[in-house]
Amino acid sequence: MSAATTAIPGLGEPGQGGPEQGCPQQGTPGREGGSARFGWALADSWTMTRRELAHWARQPVEVLVNLAFPVMLLLMFTYLVGGGRGVEGDPTEFLVPGMLALTMAFGLESTMLAVTQDLGKGVIDRFRSLPMVPGAVLVGRSTADMLQSTAALAVMAGVGYAVGWRWHNGAAAALGAVGLLLLLRFAMLWVGIQLAMVAGRPELVSAVQILVWPVGFLSNVFATPASMPGWLGAVVEWNPMSATATAVRELFGNPGGATGSWAAEHAQLLALLWPVAIIAVFFPLAVRKFARLSR
């Protein structure tokens, strides 16, 4: 690594600015101790989060579309197409938890577009020249996305309740199910951020987004693996989306169409391991890719 990219005491980390960039020497993250640096990281990340939230107020139609699309799918599969094939019991109680899991894959194109637009407009380069923690941009983007995902879950749960879905295992289990759903979203989010930086341009986002759809639809969201051909059912059971859908059905006390396979019997374990594995791969890839931008 060259001297130009090495952190110099008193000048901050690479990309955080310094006196040579016209930034004040006092109070920059590079000069503070560990606790102060953590405080800077939180402050910078919250600033970036507020920036993303401000976009919601300026683009309310996009926010509403992201909330309405999974609701329309739920209503379509509940009343028109039919879901829960192969399930003993109320198909609505099978379908709604699966749709909650599938919702965690929706809306990624908004995050991907935001990242590519910032890259194309040079906004990222501006941020990198400021005395701020470089990762705050990604943290702010991911925090805003998680807030929107939480709102989407609340809307979907309300609509599901209206069409007859109920949970039966108490508040603690329900909160555990919500936690697994948000963990899956967090993992999918870093996949989207990495793919967006690889794509680099907004016009390529639609093509890249297509890669996410097989994960969502090649799952047990709409039908049980037992109702599928043997080879397809085996593939479906090991899908990360299927693990989360099965796990939240168990936690909500809803019918799951259990097949007796190892994946089905250990769905809650897989619902933890799959997202953690995805984050372990794509989080460092995204951070490394972001650090190399404009170098």
Side-chain angles (χ1 to χ4, degrees), residues 99 118 123 184 186 257:
M99 285 300 304
D118 282 349
V123 176
L184 177 64
F186 191 67

Side-chain angles (χ1 to χ4, degrees), residues 201-254:
R201 299 197 305 273
E203 57 268 23
L204 295 179
V205 166
S206 297
V208 175
Q209 171 68 11
I210 294 175
L211 301 176
V212 179
W213 288 96
V215 177
F217 286 97
L218 195 63
S219 68
N220 64 359
V221 168
F222 303 110
T224 67
S227 66
M228 305 174 187
W231 64 270
L232 181 60
V235 172
V236 163
E237 285 196 317
W238 286 95
N239 185 331
M241 186 78 67
S242 296
T244 298
T246 301
V248 298
R249 286 175 181 132
E250 292 176 358
L251 290 170
F252 284 136
N254 298 142

Side-chain angles (χ1 to χ4, degrees), residues 56 67 146-156:
W56 292 11
L67 293 176
M146 293 302 293
L147 290 174
Q148 184 171 5
S149 299
T150 303
L153 278 181
V155 171
M156 284 290 292

Side-chain angles (χ1 to χ4, degrees), residues 44-64:
D44 292 343
S45 299
W46 176 238
T47 299
M48 292 296 100
T49 301
R50 289 171 56 194
R51 170 182 178 261
E52 299 298 337
L53 295 179
H55 291 168
W56 292 11
R58 293 194 293 267
Q59 300 172 340
V61 174
E62 180 180 344
V63 175
L64 292 175

Side-chain angles (χ1 to χ4, degrees), residues 6-56:
T6 304
I8 303 175
L11 298 183
E13 297 290 335
Q16 290 179 330
E20 77 280 10
Q21 294 173 303
C23 300
Q25 294 189 43
Q26 300 298 325
T28 56
R31 294 196 57 156
E32 307 292 347
S35 60
R37 287 172 61 84
F38 180 72
W40 271 98
L42 288 179
D44 292 343
S45 299
W46 176 238
T47 299
M48 292 296 100
T49 301
R50 289 171 56 194
R51 170 182 178 261
E52 299 298 337
L53 295 179
H55 291 168
W56 292 11

